[in-house]
Amino acid sequence: MGPLQIDVDTGPDRYRHWRIAIDGPVATVTMDVAADGGLRDDYELKLNSYDLGVDIELADLVDRLRFEHAGVKAVVLTGVDGVFCAGANIQMLAGASHDHKVNFCKFTNETRGAIEAATADSGQTWIAAINGTAAGGGYELALACDEILLVDDRSSAVSLPEVPLLAVLPGTGGLTRVVDKRHVRRDLADVFATRTEGSKGRQALDWGLVDAIAPRSEFDDAVRDRALARAATSDRPDGGAFPLGAVEMGVDGDVVRTANVTAELDRERGAATITVRGPAGEQPATPDALLAAGADAWIVAAARELDRVVLHLRLNETAVGTWILRTEGDPAAVLGAELLVDDHPDHWLVREVRLLWGRVLRRLDLSSRSLFALVEPGSCFAGVLAELALVADRSYMLEGTWEDDDDPPPPAVLHLSAASGGRYPMTNGISRLAARCWGRPEALAVAEATFGKDLLAAEADDAGLVTFALDDLDWEDEVRLAVEERASFSPDALTGMEANHRFVGPETMETKIFARLTAWQNWIFQRPNAVGPEGALRRFGSGARPDYDRTRV
């Protein structure tokens, strides 16, 4: 049997693990996991435990609530009575390949971040109503919400038992969120994270692990009151919908294709060339026109399709380590499509489009792949697509045009706009341009002075916006050698190097989660104390105690 192929395409009519009920401004999202609904058939998702498939549905649900239910201003997240969520399924983790475990943690972290962003940026506050056990990833799911209410029934508890039970870390930022977000005292956090039974009722409230407790007889009313109070502070409209529909993607051998994005795989060189095509035809210039055009409008469709292709490559093509980013189209058309975001920034739907592009670009930032951008004649690295050149670890721009072409296209241009001035911030809260010029304010001023200009290769090079400006004679060899060189290096060393270089400057809770958690969990997932034949993850549930190598490193 070949490796598991993971498809992130889903929708409400295909959810197996989630229920949504909407009552006025409040949506209630209930986690009700189908035990037989795992991605693999060698485990059961008992006790509302989850795998990547459950989280794929949740990620889709978070996006659809933002776009398809404008009138929803608060979201109550709860579980089946008595079991809020038992966390990530242990049998799934024990039997998963190393890359699947790490990809699972990264995707789940991104989904938790999307929940927090819905609260912070979209006026759609998430509230966790813990009506039973919330263990491990279950409590981490609650931690992504802005408020946590716990039923006080002497049995319901919150816990992070991964360290004592499994010899791993809470995989979706639990340790960081406890101290950085909820401001739990570090000594109490130490006790909490090493106590398998967790904390209940009054202690959970006193330690800051939850925001409120209520007896079961009063719990539903308390949750509803909090949700309505938060909804009253939202700036979202009282109604409206923008149906997203499905993202159609085809995979034909080594080619992955959507309407606006294509990825062509070169397995011999371990590379994928990802081409984003710019808009064709008239694009919506007002929110009403966007509502009429629907999710096929380029400004929405291109973002969703790029995200889908990136996730496909990340989850299913782990040996393809270099992504070459290209664009095709008219730079003016990209800028024209983005005028909608410039001219109507406060409209709820336009705001969601902007935030969607931000999430997609951050997904690229956080992908453990070498990213090269090729700015060639016929490309459209302008506006939001210029961010693809700034995402890249290296960028190559052709000087002039193709000399051997009978009808050569005009020379390539790079066109930065307000989009590169912080509209789509990285996880560290700064723009990619600011990251590129970190610690060099004069270089940032030079770069910002180019906003609104079509820059030829020499001009982009002088402004410090591309790595190399090459002529037609050198282009093919230089790009080929760069890709082949990348394939000769250790992928582990490259992942570490790239992450160190990309995320300069300030730290945020999100950068801490991805940097500390991903690096340490990646290492722990390879250590025998966790995944060895006598490790805790393998022996969990067997009755046998794990055998640890006691060396601290």
Side-chain angles (χ1 to χ4, degrees):
M1 186 174 67
L4 177 67
Q5 289 290 299
I6 299 167
D7 187 358
V8 299
D9 182 50
T10 188
D13 60 332
R14 287 174 282 166
Y15 293 167
R16 298 194 62 189
H17 309 295
W18 300 92
R19 302 195 309 268
I20 306 173
I22 296 176
D23 183 6
V26 178
T28 299
V29 173
T30 302
M31 187 178 192
D32 188 3
V33 176
D36 61 351
L39 286 179
R40 302 195 316 265
D41 59 8
D42 59 336
Y43 56 84
E44 287 190 329
L45 298 172
K46 298 178 179 179
L47 296 174
N48 247 19
S49 61
Y50 62 87
D51 67 355
L52 181 58
V54 176
D55 220 64
I56 286 170
E57 291 184 4
L58 177 59
D60 184 81
L61 183 157
V62 174
D63 268 358
R64 290 185 189 277
L65 280 174
R66 295 168 83 155
F67 278 94
E68 298 184 350
H69 301 280
V72 168
K73 304 177 183 184
V75 182
V76 173
L77 176 64
T78 192
V80 293
D81 198 34
V83 184
F84 177 79
C85 176
N89 186 270
I90 307 306
Q91 283 68 40
M92 175 276 295
L93 286 173
S97 64
H98 173 73
D99 58 283
H100 182 84
K101 285 198 284 281
V102 175
N103 269 325
F104 165 65
C105 285
K106 181 171 282 188
F107 181 86
T108 305
N109 270 309
E110 289 167 331
T111 304
R112 305 298 177 265
I115 289 173
E116 290 175 321
T119 296
D121 303 326
S122 294
Q124 204 170 64
T125 302
W126 282 64
I127 298 170
I130 300 180
N131 56 343
T133 300
Y139 180 49
E140 289 181 290
L141 180 57
L143 284 169
C145 297
D146 203 55
E147 293 188 37
I148 304 175
L149 285 77
L150 173 66
V151 65
D152 188 11
D153 61 0
R154 301 194 179 194
S155 62
S156 297
V158 295
S159 65
L160 293 175
E162 287 86 347
V163 170
L165 288 183
L166 304 173
V168 299
L169 301 180
T172 43
L175 301 177
T176 304
R177 285 188 172 93
V178 162
V179 291
D180 268 50
K181 181 178 181 178
R182 299 204 60 84
H183 305 142
V184 175
R185 222 170 64 200
R186 59 174 285 198
D187 56 337
L188 300 180
D190 184 286
V191 174
F192 175 65
T194 53
R195 179 191 287 173
T196 58
E197 68 274 17
S199 295
K200 303 173 185 176
R202 175 53 60 178
Q203 184 183 77
L205 180 63
D206 290 345
W207 285 15
L209 299 166
V210 301
D211 296 291
I213 58 175
R216 190 166 292 276
S217 61
E218 302 172 12
F219 189 67
D220 290 346
D221 288 341
V223 171
R224 179 71 178 173
D225 288 346
R226 286 308 307 148
L228 289 174
R230 295 304 298 271
T233 67
S234 175
D235 65 352
R236 291 175 71 87
D238 292 331
F242 186 79
L244 290 177
V247 174
E248 300 294 336
M249 185 184 80
V251 181
D252 183 8
D254 291 336
V255 179
V256 183
R257 193 182 305 278
T258 70
N260 296 287
V261 182
T262 301
E264 299 177 80
L265 278 60
D266 181 344
R267 298 185 189 280
E268 185 176 348
R269 296 195 299 169
T273 299
I274 303 172
T275 303
V276 181
R277 288 176 288 281
E282 187 176 354
Q283 296 297 313
T286 66
D288 285 345
L290 179 58
L291 283 163
D296 289 334
W298 181 86
I299 196 71
V300 177
R304 297 182 70 213
E305 292 169 25
L306 178 58
D307 198 42
R308 178 87 183 277
V309 170
V310 164
L311 284 171
H312 172 79
L313 295 176
R314 190 198 274 185
L315 296 171
N316 298 311
E317 299 289 352
T318 54
V320 177
T322 299
W323 294 350
I324 301 166
L325 305 174
R326 297 180 65 253
T327 60
E328 289 180 356
D330 181 359
V334 177
L335 295 168
E338 204 174 15
L339 281 175
L340 174 73
V341 182
D342 294 328
D343 295 343
H344 304 277
D346 297 325
H347 189 275
W348 75 270
L349 178 56
V350 176
R351 177 174 65 184
E352 292 304 337
V353 171
R354 172 178 59 81
L355 295 170
L356 171 64
W357 271 106
R359 294 193 294 278
V360 175
L361 291 165
R362 285 193 292 276
R363 182 107 66 191
L364 272 169
D365 291 329
L366 293 166
S367 293
S368 55
R369 302 294 191 276
S370 299
L371 304 176
F372 291 175
L374 304 185
V375 187
E376 307 160 280
S379 66
C380 55
F381 285 95
V384 65
L385 293 189
E387 287 294 282
L388 297 181
L390 299 176
V391 159
D393 300 301
R394 294 186 192 177
S395 52
Y396 296 79
M397 188 169 181
L398 186 77
E399 289 188 296
T401 189
W402 306 119
E403 297 298 331
D404 59 354
D405 196 322
D406 293 335
D407 185 21
V413 297
L414 178 67
H415 187 116
L416 300 190
S417 70
S420 296
R423 178 178 292 168
Y424 308 107
M426 302 174 68
T427 53
N428 55 11
I430 65 174
S431 70
R432 290 169 189 82
L433 191 61
R436 186 179 188 85
C437 302
W438 186 253
R440 297 177 297 117
E442 68 287 349
L444 181 60
V446 168
E448 289 176 336
T450 69
F451 283 10
K453 300 176 181 179
D454 285 342
L455 303 178
L456 296 172
E459 295 168 318
D461 191 23
D462 288 344
L465 297 175
V466 294
T467 313
F468 297 110
L470 304 172
D471 61 26
D472 183 30
L473 186 64
D474 294 329
W475 180 266
E476 185 175 344
D477 283 343
E478 290 289 342
V479 172
R480 176 181 58 80
L481 289 171
V483 174
E484 291 175 355
E485 178 189 60
R486 216 64 172 190
S488 72
F489 295 148
S490 160
D492 304 323
L494 286 173
T495 294
M497 180 192 77
E498 291 153 0
N500 274 277
H501 290 163
R502 286 178 197 172
F503 299 100
V504 301
E507 272 211 296
T508 63
M509 186 182 70
E510 196 170 7
T511 60
K512 291 177 184 178
I513 287 170
F514 281 103
R516 297 177 185 176
L517 170 69
T518 302
W520 282 104
Q521 192 81 302
N522 195 338
W523 178 71
I524 289 169
F525 275 156
Q526 298 180 76
R527 295 283 293 161
N529 285 340
V531 299
E534 297 176 353
L537 200 58
R538 294 282 187 179
R539 287 195 166 179
F540 179 79
S542 69
R545 292 178 61 83
D547 183 15
Y548 292 145
D549 175 354
R550 297 291 172 182
T551 305
R552 286 260 194 153
V553 293

